[in-house]
Amino acid sequence: MYLKGCNHMVLKSEHITMPSIKQSGSLSSLADRQDVSLSSLTSYARKLDTVAGQANRRVDNKHVEFTESDRPKSASSPKKKRKKKNPIIVNLSGTRYEVIRQMAEKLGFTPSKDDDPNGYLIWNDSFVSAERINELKPFQRINHFPGMGEITRKDCLARNMLKVSKEFPEEYGFIPKSWILPSDYSQLVNYSKDLKSKKKSKTFIIKPSNGAQGHGIQLFKNAEKIPATEHFIVQEYIEKPFLLDGYKFDLRIYVLITSCDPLRVFLFNDGLVRMSTEKYQNPAESNINHMYMHLTNYSVNKHNEYYEKGESVDSGSKRSIAFLNEYLRNKDRDVALMWRNISDMIVKTLLVSMPHLLHAYRMCRPCAPSGSDSVCFEVLGFDVLLDRNLKPWLLEINRSPSFGTDEKIDWDIKSALIENTIKLLNIKVSDKRRNINAQKQEAQKRLYRTGKRPDAPDVSEYEKRRIHFEKRKEELKELLARIKKQSLREDYDNRNMGKFRRIFPTEDKARQEKYVRLMSSIFNIFMSGRAPAMQKEIQRIYKNPLREEDVLDMLHECEEYEKDGKYAGGGKGAARGPKPLQSMPVCQPSPIDDSEEDDDEMTEGSPMSTPMTRRRSAKSRPGSMVREQSEWSEGASSTYNSRPNSGVRSRPPSNMSMSNQSNQRSRSLSRMVTSGKYTSLQRSTVDDGFLTSVVKEREDELSKKTLIALNDMRIKFPGKSDEEAEMILDKLHESWKFHKPRIASYWLVKLDSIKRRKVIDIVRSNVRAVLQRTWRVSDVDNLRIYRIFSRVFSRLLWSHGQGLWNCFSSSNGPAGWETIFSKSTENISESDMNCCRRIVQLCRDCLLIVYQFAAEAKNTSQSTTSHSDTEPSGLGREKPISLVPPNTQTMSQRYSKLYRGEAS
Ligand code: ADP
């Protein structure tokens, strides 16, 4: 028994008064009182049970009030609760709904006794002022957005919808034709006259502009009889609604918005079906005053003697949406389509609110960076009418939908709704501390920020560039943190959605793009002059959101730039060409073959040397392979590109022995393959189909060569031979049980995303070099095969490195990463796929070698120094980990010479 709930119920029934209980509030607090003995407590409890029973049976307004004792046991905890050390205080003094209090307690929150301004969660039934929202701390959450009135007041909704539907009549055909009185009166009368002249007749419904619960609603057959001076909304009456057992009904659909900057919307997959209590007839002069026939409000119909309290899910005047879905399915109606339409309608309506919401929210929270946790959320109640074709019509939106639980069905639906809502808010006790820390950090940043501004007169060009560069890096880091946070939020939402389903942003790409276009246009309609900046922002946030990898790339670029000293003047003096991996071990001797092999051996027509030969040909020489290959590629690209007519018909570099015509044809085809399109000249002279098949053939051929080159690659362990490196890998696999948890913790926990990326980049940069060599192109980004590889690399970094880690556990059957191609429309050949598999294998080996290298380096440093805080990541140490594709060394050597010659 839950005394607090009973107390509420008893007070409501006003049958008896128990001041002592009213003050104490709960059994445990009663027990604390010395003047109340345990036996008297027990008898109190019994008395209350009896009273609760009486109240349950009490019939009020022809329906029995649903009370605490009817609720599921799990909702009320009879156990004596211990006082929590760090309770999450929630301020529910602004709500009259018991279900909110109960769900908050169920989730472990502690409702504050008074109007505590510091509650983590604040729930108010009524409007919340902008000042209040402005004063909230970032860890607090309140259940209203400023600016929401623009769609929840009937006249505002009508006005805004009218504006948008003029531009997009097709998209916004779900609002009954409306007029706002008194301003639109003459238009209404003209419309009515027009109808008469066409011998058509329509019924109109009028509603007070700011009315609710059916107050002041009337129906008119003749629009000219509608009073001209009152503030009313007039709508065309939907005359042919879908009927349930002959009764009209509407739907109360619950929608949760957890943030407006950016917009995140969830649809609750249950709700109420509210039926009228008099059988429906087409509106006529004889029945237009029958409110129990034409209105479906509970607040109206509960007064009818025929109002039926539901005894089961399929009877009564209030039913569940789950019941309706089943009912419609049994009648062979397309329920999925109906819900797609409803969800579409909800999103489009919220898009109309966006310019107002965003503006109001940003005004209230001027210091909150875009994408930070929203202090506002809102549960909206959408009232929707279905016509006989099951087309949804939006009647109105309630910003404070009733959470009253008069009947069991109310409790069942609303308790789940509130519980799921609070869960999705992800309120944690640590939020407050995190907030304080963030504030401290921000203050520190301000304190240590250099006073110099880049535009100050005494700032040198160098300094200006440096400041600008630092700022850019700082911004990227913040962006990265935001993206990470966003992806964590996404993960959390997906795990805690309960009965909610996210409808914006949607997973459906085409739909999402449509919404983004619509949102952009809506900003244009409402903001006119200020829209372009907003539109750019919309595209950035909703259409092409930057991914973690993108920002890491930018950051990486920045770091390389910084390392090359390009901001110090760039160009001449700055280091060129190679892109060393930042914080990777620096150069050390690495193997190379001094003999000048013909590079064509690896490319066109000549027999391939065996992998063993290649591996054996690798000898040590100074310089890192990673560096070498980049040098080669850049050298090659500059040599290649500097040649005039380097397009399809260009001659190969003279130092490459392209001996015969077929080689030349291959090369030009490679170019065509690379660019992905043919020139108009080619199109006019060569048959398209033929060309496509030749290109395809050539692609397959090159893909196979790529596979051979990839198979030849080995991960180089600094200072060790290939054989030794292989042995290390074998040993790691042999004692996998021992190493597995260590490697997992190293990869998934110890390394941050930048370092994880660097491990993958060791393989990536070498794969790029192989492609450059095999496909004879400098810019591999445009290669179809490289785009495929990129997807694999991204997948391996996916979910904070989980992607690669999964590859260690799926030894049998298709690996998890392969699913990225299962739905792909792209034609991926078997050898493309094998290349990808080899790349995954190389990445796995690379992780193992880096891990082993780090472990050995740590051991060495521990034995030589007493410092125990040596960086064990292996990615900031002195020796490089690299890949060894032996042939590349020969080529890289040649091209690095070339390149150096050019640069000097
Ligand atoms: P209130 O906020 O006062 O409840 P609503 O707009 O929700 O006002 O309308 C009350 C009821 O009137 C609805 O539940 C619905 O049954 C009926 N109704 C409202 N507008 C229309 C309409 N355009 N066509 C048919 N029925 C309507």
Side-chain angles (χ1 to χ4, degrees):
M1 191 195 69
Y2 198 82
L3 276 181
K4 199 167 181 188
C6 284
N7 182 22
H8 164 79
M9 175 274 302
V10 170
L11 289 173
K12 211 170 167 190
S13 70
E14 282 166 12
H15 277 192
I16 60 165
T17 46
M18 288 187 187
S20 58
I21 295 182
K22 190 178 170 186
Q23 282 155 17
S24 48
S26 70
L27 195 57
S28 55
S29 52
L30 257 177
D32 290 341
R33 290 179 46 170
Q34 284 151 9
D35 58 331
V36 184
S37 69
L38 201 64
S39 61
S40 62
L41 260 180
T42 323
S43 74
Y44 250 137
R46 267 198 218 112
K47 254 188 209 169
L48 280 168
D49 264 347
T50 320
V51 175
Q54 283 168 359
N56 281 345
R57 287 187 291 279
R58 187 173 153 248
V59 177
D60 180 17
N61 275 336
K62 309 275 183 300
H63 71 275
V64 181
E65 186 161 335
F66 181 69
T67 64
E68 188 55 47
S69 52
D70 294 327
R71 285 170 196 155
K73 289 281 175 286
S74 60
S76 55
S77 164
K79 280 185 195 156
K80 190 174 165 180
K81 282 180 192 159
R82 277 200 179 171
K83 261 201 167 178
K84 281 194 187 149
K85 208 174 148 202
N86 281 323
I88 300 184
I89 301 293
V90 292
N91 176 355
L92 306 179
S93 59
T95 177
R96 62 185 180 283
Y97 298 116
E98 190 56 22
V99 65
I100 296 172
R101 210 173 311 280
Q102 297 237 353
M103 288 305 110
E105 283 182 1
K106 184 181 173 188
L107 292 170
F109 299 158
T110 310
S112 61
K113 296 240 157 36
D114 47 14
D115 195 355
D116 185 346
N118 292 318
Y120 282 68
L121 170 69
I122 302 167
W123 201 294
N124 252 15
D125 295 341
S126 54
F127 164 82
V128 179
S129 71
E131 291 73 41
R132 181 136 192 227
I133 293 171
N134 176 265
E135 282 160 12
L136 291 175
K137 313 251 168 40
F139 69 89
Q140 295 185 285
R141 303 278 176 272
I142 199 160
N143 69 321
H144 291 294
F145 277 97
M148 195 58 94
E150 289 292 328
I151 54 165
T152 55
R153 255 190 75 114
K154 288 187 175 70
D155 51 351
C156 297
L157 177 71
R159 189 177 345 99
N160 289 324
M161 285 300 197
L162 269 175
K163 265 192 183 174
V164 179
S165 60
K166 259 187 210 157
E167 297 269 334
F168 302 101
E170 306 271 286
E171 305 288 352
Y172 285 87
F174 51 78
I175 282 261
K177 202 166 173 40
S178 310
W179 295 266
I180 305 164
L181 298 194
S183 58
D184 294 345
Y185 185 74
S186 53
Q187 279 149 277
L188 173 67
V189 172
N190 288 343
Y191 180 74
S192 162
K193 282 182 182 160
D194 197 34
L195 284 175
K196 264 188 202 158
S197 69
K198 290 176 187 159
K199 300 231 162 25
K200 281 186 185 168
S201 133
K202 292 228 160 141
T203 308
F204 298 89
I205 183 166
I206 70 164
K207 317 173 191 180
S209 288
N210 201 18
Q213 301 193 327
H215 290 305
I217 294 187
Q218 293 176 61
L219 265 62
F220 286 86
K221 285 300 288 176
N222 183 355
E224 285 154 63
K225 285 190 184 164
I226 294 171
T229 51
E230 303 288 330
H231 286 268
F232 275 120
I233 298 301
V234 182
Q235 274 181 352
E236 260 182 20
Y237 188 70
I238 311 296
E239 296 192 21
K240 293 185 169 52
F242 190 90
L243 302 179
L244 206 58
D245 304 338
Y247 293 93
K248 178 177 172 178
F249 66 90
D250 77 350
L251 307 179
R252 164 57 56 86
I253 296 169
Y254 297 101
V255 171
L256 168 68
I257 305 172
T258 53
S259 134
C260 74
D261 189 8
L263 182 65
R264 285 179 83 76
V265 186
F266 300 83
L267 172 62
F268 194 65
N269 86 356
D270 208 347
L272 292 170
V273 174
R274 300 164 314 175
M275 298 168 69
S276 62
T277 43
E278 190 180 333
K279 287 221 168 178
Y280 187 76
Q281 289 167 15
N282 282 343
E285 288 296 352
S286 56
N287 65 34
I288 50 170
N289 293 327
H290 292 209
M291 288 300 128
Y292 299 141
M293 176 189 289
H294 293 291
L295 302 193
T296 49
N297 305 67
Y298 164 69
S299 48
V300 172
N301 283 284
K302 72 177 180 185
H303 297 293
N304 188 358
E305 58 179 322
Y306 296 109
Y307 182 89
E308 263 183 66
K309 182 183 172 288
E311 298 298 339
S312 64
V313 285
D314 52 0
S315 65
S317 301
K318 227 190 247 181
R319 300 184 195 181
S320 74
I321 283 183
F323 158 79
L324 177 73
N325 289 341
E326 201 48 41
Y327 177 91
L328 293 173
R329 260 182 228 118
N330 289 339
K331 296 215 169 313
D332 280 337
R333 306 301 292 250
D334 192 343
V335 177
L337 174 71
M338 178 185 92
W339 279 102
R340 260 203 310 281
N341 291 338
I342 291 177
S343 145
D344 192 52
M345 177 186 82
I346 291 168
V347 172
K348 284 175 183 166
T349 306
L350 291 174
L351 293 184
V352 173
S353 76
M354 268 305 274
H356 313 283
L357 280 194
L358 200 63
H359 175 72
Y361 187 78
R362 287 186 176 175
M363 292 288 279
C364 288
R365 310 287 304 170
C367 297
S370 169
S372 58
D373 283 337
S374 171
V375 293
C376 299
F377 68 95
E378 189 124 20
V379 180
L380 294 173
F382 276 68
D383 289 351
V384 175
L385 190 76
L386 296 171
D387 68 16
R388 63 175 171 183
N389 298 320
L390 288 185
K391 175 187 164 151
W393 291 88
L394 179 64
L395 297 183
E396 72 156 342
I397 305 162
N398 293 275
R399 68 181 320 184
S400 286
S402 163
F403 294 122
T405 49
D406 288 352
E407 298 176 26
K408 184 172 180 301
I409 189 172
D410 289 313
W411 174 266
D412 290 347
I413 291 170
K414 294 171 189 176
S415 61
L417 168 72
I418 301 295
E419 188 181 353
N420 287 181
T421 297
I422 300 179
K423 268 193 189 161
L424 262 184
L425 296 179
N426 192 13
I427 298 170
K428 299 183 293 302
V429 73
S430 57
D431 291 349
K432 199 172 187 170
R433 190 173 17 89
R434 259 196 309 128
N435 172 240
I436 294 169
N437 288 347
Q439 276 177 351
K440 267 191 205 160
Q441 266 178 14
E442 189 50 39
Q444 264 175 354
K445 242 199 230 166
R446 276 199 299 267
L447 197 67
Y448 296 121
R449 202 170 276 162
T450 52
K452 281 213 165 152
R453 289 165 51 95
D455 50 359
D458 59 333
V459 175
S460 68
E461 270 307 306
Y462 168 83
E463 189 65 3
K464 259 186 206 168
R465 266 203 297 269
R466 200 192 57 76
I467 295 173
H468 173 78
F469 190 78
E470 286 301 320
K471 205 175 143 209
R472 169 91 181 125
K473 248 174 68 178
E474 217 33 60
E475 281 168 1
L476 284 173
K477 279 182 188 162
E478 273 167 23
L479 183 61
L480 188 63
R482 266 213 308 277
I483 292 173
K484 276 187 182 171
K485 199 170 168 192
Q486 179 77 22
S487 88
L488 284 178
R489 184 183 304 165
E490 196 113 9
D491 279 356
Y492 179 86
D493 285 355
N494 291 339
R495 279 183 282 112
N496 293 279
M497 249 186 276
K499 288 177 115 183
F500 277 114
R501 167 166 78 85
R502 202 182 73 205
I503 55 172
F504 189 92
T506 157
E507 299 285 322
D508 180 339
K509 266 196 163 180
R511 207 169 257 245
Q512 179 67 9
E513 279 187 12
K514 186 173 137 186
Y515 290 151
V516 172
R517 278 199 302 276
L518 210 50
M519 193 196 287
S520 227
S521 309
I522 289 169
F523 269 89
N524 207 18
I525 294 170
F526 288 101
M527 295 177 75
S528 53
R530 282 170 299 142
M534 244 354 270
Q535 283 166 337
K536 260 193 204 160
E537 200 178 323
I538 290 168
Q539 293 294 322
R540 186 169 50 75
I541 296 175
Y542 300 104
K543 192 163 174 220
N544 305 315
L546 281 170
R547 291 165 312 159
E548 203 174 321
E549 291 100 88
D550 301 329
V551 184
L552 280 170
D553 267 342
M554 291 188 236
L555 210 52
H556 196 72
E557 230 168 67
C558 254
E559 284 169 351
E560 283 176 1
Y561 217 68
E562 188 180 32
K563 200 158 188 204
D564 289 354
K566 285 189 181 163
Y567 64 76
K572 289 179 184 171
R576 280 189 56 200
K579 292 184 172 183
L581 292 168
Q582 239 282 310
S583 79
M584 275 300 293
V586 290
C587 308
Q588 67 110 43
S590 86
I592 188 150
D593 185 356
D594 280 332
S595 68
E596 292 265 320
E597 279 181 53
D598 190 341
D599 61 294
D600 276 342
E601 190 194 337
M602 275 291 280
T603 52
E604 312 295 333
S606 56
M608 299 286 160
S609 59
T610 64
M612 268 319 286
T613 323
R614 283 153 196 259
R615 252 176 277 141
R616 245 181 269 121
S617 70
K619 291 180 205 155
S620 291
R621 62 147 239 172
S624 137
M625 264 317 294
V626 174
R627 195 177 169 89
E628 285 288 345
Q629 283 155 22
S630 306
E631 274 175 353
W632 174 78
S633 42
E634 295 220 353
S637 95
S638 59
T639 316
Y640 211 68
N641 291 339
S642 63
R643 190 170 292 115
N645 289 328
S646 63
V648 176
R649 288 191 173 82
S650 73
R651 282 193 51 215
S654 57
N655 61 337
M656 289 182 185
S657 65
M658 295 290 285
S659 54
N660 56 39
Q661 277 189 348
S662 90
N663 279 353
Q664 287 203 19
R665 198 191 107 227
S666 293
R667 173 163 299 193
S668 54
L669 281 170
S670 300
R671 287 300 172 105
M672 287 151 69
V673 167
T674 313
S675 64
K677 54 184 180 242
Y678 323 124
T679 63
S680 55
L681 176 69
Q682 285 159 352
R683 233 180 273 130
S684 63
T685 52
V686 186
D687 170 60
D688 259 6
F690 170 72
L691 202 56
T692 313
S693 69
V694 174
V695 168
K696 175 91 194 47
E697 211 175 280
R698 178 67 184 148
E699 264 195 340
D700 285 348
E701 197 184 312
L702 291 173
S703 167
K704 281 177 191 149
K705 285 183 179 172
T706 308
L707 180 60
I708 292 170
L710 291 178
N711 281 338
D712 273 356
M713 275 188 176
R714 295 292 179 274
I715 309 289
K716 168 83 187 129
F717 194 109
K720 291 193 171 43
S721 69
D722 287 350
E723 285 72 22
E724 283 172 322
E726 296 256 316
M727 270 168 61
I728 288 173
L729 289 175
D730 287 346
K731 273 193 181 163
L732 286 171
H733 284 296
E734 270 163 27
S735 38
W736 184 240
K737 256 196 178 163
F738 171 80
H739 290 293
K740 188 180 170 185
R742 286 163 181 79
I743 297 171
S745 114
Y746 177 70
W747 174 247
L748 298 170
V749 184
K750 174 97 198 150
L751 298 189
D752 60 15
S753 53
I754 296 178
K755 286 180 177 164
R756 273 195 298 267
R757 191 177 176 77
K758 282 175 180 170
V759 173
I760 298 294
D761 276 352
I762 295 174
V763 180
R764 192 202 302 260
S765 60
N766 285 273
V767 168
R768 287 176 71 93
V770 162
L771 289 177
Q772 282 170 331
R773 182 160 43 86
T774 314
W775 294 65
R776 294 182 174 269
V777 289
S778 53
D779 183 11
V780 297
D781 294 316
N782 288 329
L783 285 178
R784 189 189 65 90
I785 198 166
Y786 184 68
R787 287 200 295 270
I788 294 173
F789 294 170
S790 285
R791 290 178 66 186
V792 176
F793 287 125
S794 303
R795 175 67 184 200
L796 298 182
L797 289 167
W798 165 80
S799 189
H800 313 283
Q802 196 62 45
L804 176 61
W805 188 244
N806 290 347
C807 298
F808 282 93
S809 45
S810 53
S811 48
N812 302 323
W817 63 267
E818 294 188 17
T819 54
I820 54 175
F821 298 121
S822 56
K823 283 186 195 140
S824 172
T825 50
E826 201 155 7
N827 191 10
I828 297 165
S829 69
E830 191 48 34
S831 83
D832 290 346
M833 208 53 196
N834 283 336
C835 287
C836 294
R837 289 189 186 114
R838 176 63 187 149
I839 285 175
V840 171
Q841 210 172 20
L842 284 168
C843 290
R844 285 174 44 166
D845 288 356
C846 192
L847 166 59
L848 297 182
I849 294 277
V850 171
Y851 158 79
Q852 183 62 25
F853 177 78
E856 285 184 15
K858 192 179 176 191
N859 288 343
T860 320
S861 73
Q862 272 172 356
S863 61
T864 53
T865 164
S866 57
H867 292 174
S868 57
D869 56 349
T870 322
E871 163 67 82
S873 77
L875 296 173
R877 309 204 57 80
E878 280 169 17
K879 292 182 176 181
I881 310 285
S882 60
L883 282 175
V884 185
N887 243 38
T888 314
Q889 293 158 12
T890 324
M891 296 187 52
S892 65
Q893 186 195 27
R894 181 183 305 153
Y895 277 95
S896 61
K897 273 183 200 161
L898 229 172
Y899 169 65
R900 282 191 205 115
E902 215 179 65
S904 58

